Amino acid sequence: MLELDIERRFPGFHLRVRLAVHHELVVLFGHSGSGKSLTLRAIAGLLRPDRGRILIDGRPVFDAAAGVDLPPRLRRVGFVPQHYALFPHLTVRENIAFGLHGLPRHERERRVAELVALLGLVGLEGRRPPEISGGQAQRVALARALAPRPRLLLLDEPFSALDSAIRVTLRRELARLRRELDLTIVFVTHDLREAYNLADRIAVFDAGRVLQVDDREAVFHRPACRRVAELTEVRNIWRGVVTEATAEHVTVQTPRFALRAAAGPSQPGQRVDVCIRPERVILLRPERHPAEALRDTALAAEIVSEEAHGAAHTLFFRLPGADEVPYDVEVDLPSHPYEVLGVRTRRVWTLVFPRAAVHVMPAADGEGDASA
Amino acid sequence: MSLVDLDLTPFRLSLQVGLLATALCLLVGVPLAWWTARAHPLVSGVISSLVLLPLLLPPTVVGYYLLYLLGRQSGAGRFLMDGLGLRLVFTWQGAAVAAAVVALPLFVRTAQAGFEQIDEDVLRVARTLAPPWRVFLRVVLPLAWPALVAATLIAFARAAGEFGATVMVAGNIPGRTQTAPTAIYDAVQAGNSAQANRLAAVFLAYGLALLVALAYVARPRRR
C-alpha cells in the first residue's frame, strides 16, 4: 500500500524513516518535533527528501535515485492538516469541490452531495468557514480530502484543536468512515490515548527516527527500548542486570529489588531495562497474601504520596529501607477499587508484579540504538 | 482664473505614465513578491533588499542610471532601440519605466505582506488537490487580494507623482513628456503661482481620493 524509506537533513535535525503501511490505520506517534508531520508531508509530496523512495500501491511517487518526484496532486493522497486549513473565501460546497475540477459539472455536484451527506453537513453547503464550528470545519476538511477518492488519507493531528467531547465524536466518525469507505490511513498524533484508540499499528517517532513499529498492544506492553517505554508512559522503568534465565522466567536485579519476568531471550549477566505499566501492578493486603507464597514478584511497600485524577488515582510507593528516594513504584488504580480496598486509610501494601506484565528490554547505552 | 483655463495635457501624461508604470509593476512585482514570500529566507532576503534599493536612492540617481541603461551608450539600450525598436529616452514610455522602478519597492513590499499572511497549511492542502496555476488563481490571488489592490494603488500614486527619476529619463518637454509634477515645478520656476496653485490643488484632491480608496481596501472585515 505505502512503503517509504527516506532521509532528509535539516540544520540540527536528521529525519530517517523507514515504514510500510498496509491496508490499515497506522498512527505516527511522538512528541512535537520528532519528525512525524515532516514524514506525512514527504508522503504527500509537500516535502522533498534528500534521498530514498516512496511507493504508493507499488508505484514510485518519489525515487531520488531515479529522479521521480510526482507533484502532490498526482499522488492521490487526501491531506487534512491540524487547523482544518479550509479555504476561507470559499463556501463549504466549493471547499469540498476544490479537488474535483476535472469532473463534469453534474458528477462534481453528485460527489459533493454524497460527501455532504456522509459527513453530516447537510444545510451548511452555502456557509463559509468563519460561519461554522470547529467540529463542522474538521468534517469539511475530511470531506474535501476524501472527495477525489484518494488511495491514502493523511491526517496531521486533525483533532488536536478541538474540545475533548467533539474529539471523541470525530474519532468515532473516523472509525466509521474508515469501515464504510475501506480507507488506508496514516494518522499523526502526540496524544497517546488517541494513538491507542485509533491505531491498528503504531510507529513511535523520536528525534527524526522510528524507534518501533508494531501493533498497538506490543507498543504498549512490549516497548522495544527504554525510550519507547518512556514515550508510551510506562513510568516504572529500572536499570538492571539479568541474574537468572530459566525456561519459566527471567530474574532481573535492579539497584533496589529483584523482579521476575516471563521467559525471554535474555542471558544472565546482560544489562537490561525492565519495566511495568503502572496500571498493571496489583495491590494486595499484606496479612492475607504472604509475599513468599506467590510465584510472581511481591514486595512490601508504603504509599508516600498520591494524586487524584477523578476516575483514577496514582499512588507512589516506596520500599522499606531507603528514605533518600522519593518513591520506587508508581501504580494507577481506578477510583472504585481504590475505595473498596480502603486505600485512603491503609498505607502499607504488598505490590505484585505479574510476570507477564514485567517487560525486559536490552539496555540502551547511548549507542547501538534500535532504529527501524 | 478658473480650472477651465487649465492645460490638462500634463495630467493626461501623468495618468499615462502612472498606468503604464503600474502595469509594469504588476507584471514584474506579482511574481517577484510571490516568489520572495515563499523562497528560502536567504534568497528572499537578498532579492527583497535589492528591490528596496530604489527606495533608498535619490530618484534622480535612479533616473541617472536608467538614462544610461536605456540610452545608446549601453548594450541594453542599443538592443532596445535597434533590436526591438523601443525608444525610451525622452519619451513618456521611458518616464513610465523610470516611475515603475521607483514604485516597484512599495508594490513588492505591500504585495509580499499579502502573500505571507496566507496560511501555509491552506496552500499545502490546495497543492494536494489542484495544479499550481489553479492554486494560484483560486486560492493565492483571492486571499492576497486586498493587499494586491493596496499595492496597486500605492504603486500608481507613487508612479503618477514621480518627478526626479522621470525628469532625468524623459526630460521636461511640454506636450510630450511634461507630466503634472514637472509642470508644477516649471510654473513655480516661472513665477506663475496661479498655475502652480491650480495644478497642486488637483494633486491634493487626487491624493485624498486615493487615501479614501486605500482605507476602503484595508477596512476590517469579518473573517
Side-chain angles (χ1 to χ4, degrees), chain A residues 72-73 89 98 101 130 144, chain B residues 125 127 129 131 134 138 223:
Chain A
R73 70 180 191 285
H89 57 300
F98 192 85
H101 51 282
R144 176 180 62 182
Chain B
V125 173
R127 287 175 60 205
L129 295 169
R134 196 163 184 276
R138 291 275 282 148
R223 295 218 52 174

Side-chain angles (χ1 to χ4, degrees), chain A residues 41 44-46 72-73 77 79 81-90 94 98-99 101 130-131 144 148, chain B residues 119-135 137-143 222-223:
Chain A
R41 279 182 209 156
L46 300 166
R73 70 180 191 285
V77 296
F79 183 63
Q82 186 169 2
H83 297 285
Y84 336 129
L86 297 183
F87 306 125
H89 57 300
L90 301 179
E94 290 165 336
F98 192 85
H101 51 282
E131 301 160 356
R144 176 180 62 182
Chain B
D119 182 1
E120 200 67 49
D121 271 338
V122 164
L123 295 175
R124 288 198 184 104
V125 173
R127 287 175 60 205
T128 64
L129 295 169
W133 61 269
R134 196 163 184 276
V135 173
L137 290 182
R138 291 275 282 148
V139 178
V140 173
L141 281 186
L143 291 180
R222 227 158 39 108
R223 295 218 52 174

